[in-house]
Amino acid sequence: MFTWFAARRKNLADVQGGELDNVEKAVKFYREQLEDIAIRWKAATDEANTMNGLYRQAIKDLNSMEIKFNQLADENRALIEELKKYKQLNGKIN
């Protein structure tokens, strides 16, 4: 009976030790997963910030180009008017 009791206690200790090992492995696994997620989250956030900066710069560039386009369109209209006046003076009215 003593051997059965000792064997039972040993088996119980082995089971508890195995459970602790499993818990330790699970904690290690989840810790590694969280660390990986944190690294990927930071990389994604950095990339999003970079893309946001590029987007803002593109909007500024677009606005500058629109202003330049409008200036060139005004200049083009003025040149067309000058050309019309020149043609009228030379008798080449269309």
Side-chain angles (χ1 to χ4, degrees):
M1 174 130 173
F2 178 75
T3 56
W4 175 83
F5 184 71
R8 184 169 182 254
R9 289 186 73 189
K10 182 182 179 315
N11 287 340
L12 184 59
D14 289 344
V15 168
Q16 288 176 341
E19 288 176 354
L20 288 175
D21 287 342
N22 289 340
V23 168
E24 185 179 326
K25 288 176 185 177
V27 167
K28 180 181 177 188
F29 173 78
Y30 287 113
R31 181 180 298 126
E32 289 171 354
Q33 292 299 313
L34 285 173
E35 289 170 356
D36 182 54
I37 289 170
I39 290 168
R40 290 192 293 161
W41 180 264
K42 183 176 179 347
T45 302
D46 291 345
E47 185 175 350
N49 288 335
T50 300
M51 296 304 288
N52 190 27
L54 291 172
Y55 171 77
R56 288 178 187 215
Q57 185 60 47
I59 294 296
K60 287 178 185 177
D61 292 346
L62 179 63
N63 288 336
S64 296
M65 287 182 197
E66 187 175 0
I67 290 168
K68 184 68 173 173
F69 174 81
N70 290 333
Q71 290 171 344
L72 290 172
D74 291 343
E75 185 178 340
N76 190 36
R77 283 190 285 277
L79 289 171
I80 289 171
E81 289 300 318
E82 288 293 322
L83 185 58
K84 286 179 184 178
K85 290 177 188 176
Y86 177 76
K87 286 181 178 181
Q88 285 176 353
L89 288 174
N90 290 322
K92 297 181 181 178
I93 302 174
N94 288 333

